[in-house]
Amino acid sequence: DEKAIKSLYMSEGFFSVKIKAETQVNDEDMEVTLKYSIHEGRPVRFHKLTVEGLSRLPKAIRKEITNTLTLDSSAIYFAPTVENLRNKALTYLRDNGYMLAKAEKPLVKVDTLKSLADIFLRFTPGKRFKILDIKVNRTGPGKNLVSDELLKKS
């Protein structure tokens, strides 16, 4: 239980959390009471974001990705924020032809003295693909209401 609580606090930016557990056993009623004392410590704020693995991409794509991957340095570290940035970049890569793009698990380096977190995102874009042809098999009552040309434009 303590590990799960600590993991939750760390994902919310409290990397120096201290947890103490006490148990009180009532043999007569066959009950146990757990009491947790939690000292959060100082919250860790985002500091710097480093993105690696995009150097071989066309400049326009690299610029678009790096411009959208920003962190608010006044914000407290929040693991889902980092995961959202990673996913946003992967989606952009895949939407722009890098269909086999991959990303490593984000690396977070925490300076507990300054309460700052540096985030490192590393991508492997792979080869860029071009769509050669689109084939659509329509079924259902509205299958003739949408033309192939309209589908290809979207």
Side-chain angles (χ1 to χ4, degrees), residues 4-17 40-46 75-82 108 110 117:
I5 293 170
K6 186 170 186 159
S7 179
L8 173 67
Y9 271 84
M10 290 176 71
S11 74
E12 299 273 341
F14 295 92
F15 288 87
S16 298
V17 64
E40 293 176 341
R42 286 178 45 195
V44 171
R45 300 197 182 282
F46 287 116
I76 294 173
Y77 173 88
F78 186 52
T81 299
V82 176
V108 180
V110 178

Side-chain angles (χ1 to χ4, degrees), residues 61-96:
I61 290 177
R62 190 172 60 242
K63 184 177 180 182
E64 186 67 30
I65 292 172
T66 55
N67 285 346
T68 60
L69 298 182
T70 59
L71 287 173
D72 178 358
S73 61
S74 68
I76 294 173
Y77 173 88
F78 186 52
T81 299
V82 176
E83 200 58 35
N84 287 341
L85 289 175
R86 177 184 171 270
N87 291 340
K88 185 188 294 188
L90 274 176
T91 298
Y92 187 87
L93 286 166
R94 291 174 180 156
D95 287 350
N96 284 275

